[in-house]
Amino acid sequence: MAQASAVLKPKSHDENINIGLDKAYRETMAESLSQILAATYRLTIKSHVYHWNVVGPLFKPLHELTEEHYGALFEAADIIAERIRALGHLAPATLGEAAGFAPKAADVGKFTAISMVNDLVEDHEHAVQTMRKAAEDADEAGDVVTADMLTDRLTFHEKALWMLRAIIAE
């Protein structure tokens, strides 16, 4: 059995990469993108859980917005993971911490629509901060592909923040 897992384990093609980005940068950026991927999954899961469980006068707009968001976030996860691979590193193979991404079941029943939005805003803001730093690093390294991808992701998250805040504005 150990032989089969060794044969099937994906290998990094890091040693053979010559794309104009040095090895240390690619390793650091792959780590940053892995953190961004985890944040993306966290938001995907939370958006989906809140989509199912929101109640009250904000139900319809928040139900529709979270559906739009979790769909876009799920697609983004693939794009981020593929960039990690293009940099010569393995995308995270396990999401062992995924159980911690979702809000606790006991809490969801107590959350109001506004507290759900505030929780999503906090996670989007954290993601934006992480992405902005990674985008700056990519720019400095001349990694226009990663910088462009992160610009697209930042655009999505900043628009999501605006829309979430608008839903709960008084």
Side-chain angles (χ1 to χ4, degrees):
M1 188 62 112
Q3 281 182 320
S5 65
V7 170
L8 296 175
K9 184 177 179 181
K11 293 185 170 104
S12 174
H13 55 277
D14 184 58
E15 314 78 46
N16 302 325
I17 292 180
N18 183 8
I19 59 173
L21 300 170
D22 73 31
K23 183 177 181 176
Y25 164 77
R26 289 186 289 105
E27 183 175 339
T28 301
M29 184 53 67
E31 290 172 16
S32 294
L33 291 176
S34 293
Q35 292 172 6
I36 291 166
L37 181 60
T40 300
Y41 270 113
R42 183 177 300 107
L43 275 162
T44 303
I45 291 167
K46 280 187 176 184
S47 296
H48 214 159
V49 169
Y50 293 159
H51 166 80
W52 292 325
N53 292 297
V54 66
V55 295
L58 296 176
F59 169 78
K60 185 165 177 52
L62 192 53
H63 183 77
E64 290 172 354
L65 185 60
T66 53
E67 182 174 15
E68 178 185 321
H69 286 179
Y70 71 69
L73 288 160
F74 187 78
E75 288 179 24
D78 192 52
I79 293 166
I80 296 164
E82 287 177 356
R83 185 63 190 150
I84 294 168
R85 292 296 291 145
L87 291 172
H89 292 271
L90 297 175
T94 63
L95 291 173
E97 299 173 2
F101 291 174
K104 293 184 179 25
D107 292 339
V108 172
K110 299 174 191 171
F111 282 178
T112 64
I114 292 173
S115 62
M116 289 177 181
V117 169
N118 285 329
D119 188 39
L120 290 171
V121 163
E122 185 178 316
D123 281 1
H124 277 283
E125 285 178 340
H126 176 73
V128 163
Q129 293 163 7
T130 303
M131 287 178 198
R132 191 171 311 286
K133 170 69 173 107
E136 289 170 3
D137 293 346
D139 275 338
E140 286 178 22
D143 182 0
V144 295
V145 174
T146 300
D148 186 53
M149 178 201 66
L150 290 169
T151 299
D152 286 345
R153 299 309 320 134
L154 282 163
T155 301
F156 166 80
H157 287 279
E158 289 183 358
K159 184 176 180 181
L161 282 163
W162 160 57
M163 291 180 158
L164 288 164
R165 287 184 177 115
I167 283 178
I168 61 171
E170 293 183 27

